Amino acid sequence: NGKTTTTYMIKAIAEKAGYKVGLIGTIRNLIGDRIIPTDRTTPESVELQRVFRLMRDEGVQLIVMEVSSHALDQDRVHGIEYLIGGFTNLTQDHLDFHHTMEEYAAAKALLFSACRVGCINIDDKWADNMMKNAPCRLLTYSADGKEASLVAENIKLSAKGVSFTASCDGKRADVSLAIPGKFSVYNALNTIAVGLALGISLDDCAKAMKTAHGVKGRMELVPTDGDYTIVIDYAHTPDALENALKALRA
């Protein structure tokens, strides 16, 4: 959970840093703000290479891409070398295809054998599976007080979003994001970790997060005229629904 929202936030940070960015994902493919139609999270291999070429021809410098476990397992992304890979969490999904959580985790872990840098949420119980055979440099993050490269402290949750202090290598920056729920802290940490791996400063990452928008239908706040809150969310798995309800209750 969190891939789509995180890719949009990474795109926002990279664009503020001056990159021309392409996006490949569940909702749509983008070159800047121009939409390229899509049928699945990660296109078939030939179609994916065509999209890469189109983006390169249009001057895209950085592609932010959702990589599904199906695509990894089916070799749709075989031969691609990633500058940075990010792991948010692993929860029950796609077991009609992978059969067990262990097989699902093994498919996801393939991503980190093809990365130069891996950004890993070490608070997730499957983090060790992602890291144990990864030959890449690892940049870890935590919102639960674990020792990591990047940590979130002084976390505050509200109906309007989250705020926290990000700490990395002795540097600190105040971060706020207008998407409610503790999982928004994790999405923000993953985004900042990717930004740091790109060479963007912690301060610049934090500034970009303040103006980053979520994705329509992903914990989307609807403006109201009174003391109540309306949220639209795409939750369609047991874990996603539980996370959404817990986030709103908090």
Side-chain angles (χ1 to χ4, degrees):
N1 287 310
K3 292 192 303 299
T4 300
T5 299
T6 303
T7 54
Y8 273 75
M9 294 197 299
I10 293 168
K11 181 175 182 285
I13 277 187
E15 285 175 340
K16 281 194 177 295
Y19 287 94
K20 182 169 183 179
V21 182
L23 185 141
I24 298 173
T26 302
I27 296 176
R28 57 174 63 115
N29 297 338
L30 297 170
I31 296 178
D33 293 324
R34 185 163 68 81
I35 299 170
I36 307 168
T38 184
D39 292 325
R40 49 179 60 84
T41 297
T42 310
E44 295 291 348
S45 53
V46 174
E47 172 64 12
L48 181 60
Q49 295 297 330
R50 186 190 71 80
V51 173
F52 283 165
R53 181 67 201 208
L54 177 64
M55 289 183 173
R56 180 181 174 178
D57 287 348
E58 296 209 16
V60 166
Q61 299 161 295
L62 185 76
I63 296 172
V64 186
M65 175 179 167
E66 288 186 56
V67 183
S68 69
S69 57
H70 291 71
L72 288 158
D73 196 66
Q74 295 171 344
D75 283 341
R76 276 190 246 154
V77 291
H78 179 75
I80 297 170
E81 183 181 344
Y82 303 91
L83 183 64
I84 304 161
F87 172 70
T88 54
N89 53 71
L90 194 74
T91 56
Q92 185 174 320
D93 200 2
H94 306 309
L95 295 190
D96 56 323
F97 181 82
H98 295 293
H99 308 301
T100 68
M101 286 299 293
E102 286 73 21
E103 287 182 25
Y104 186 20
K108 284 286 188 188
L110 292 171
L111 179 67
F112 299 98
S113 64
C115 294
R116 295 185 197 173
V117 182
C119 300
I120 307 285
N121 170 18
I122 60 167
D123 293 343
D124 188 85
K125 68 178 182 179
W126 295 97
D128 286 344
N129 294 64
M130 302 301 127
M131 296 189 291
K132 65 183 177 185
N133 295 316
C136 60
R137 177 168 73 89
L138 295 174
L139 203 167
T140 57
Y141 61 91
S142 170
D144 273 347
K146 291 182 182 170
E147 191 171 323
S149 315
L150 172 68
V151 297
E153 302 166 345
N154 307 317
I155 297 168
K156 293 182 176 64
L157 310 177
S158 77
K160 293 185 177 178
V162 299
S163 65
F164 60 92
T165 301
S167 176
C168 179
D169 289 336
K171 296 177 182 174
R172 297 162 71 83
D174 292 330
V175 178
S176 59
L177 177 64
I179 308 172
K182 189 172 180 182
F183 53 80
S184 290
V185 177
Y186 285 105
N187 289 345
L189 285 172
N190 189 60
T191 302
I192 292 167
V194 171
L196 294 172
L198 284 170
I200 302 169
S201 73
L202 182 61
D203 276 343
D204 284 345
C205 287
K207 286 174 188 172
M209 294 306 295
K210 287 177 182 173
T211 55
H213 297 290
V215 180
K216 282 192 174 295
R218 303 295 208 278
M219 291 302 284
E220 179 188 358
L221 285 168
V222 179
T224 65
D225 59 358
D227 186 22
Y228 60 95
T229 304
I230 298 174
V231 174
I232 302 172
D233 192 70
Y234 173 71
H236 64 288
T237 63
D239 178 77
L241 185 58
E242 184 179 348
N243 270 327
L245 293 171
K246 281 182 176 177
L248 295 172
R249 182 159 292 169

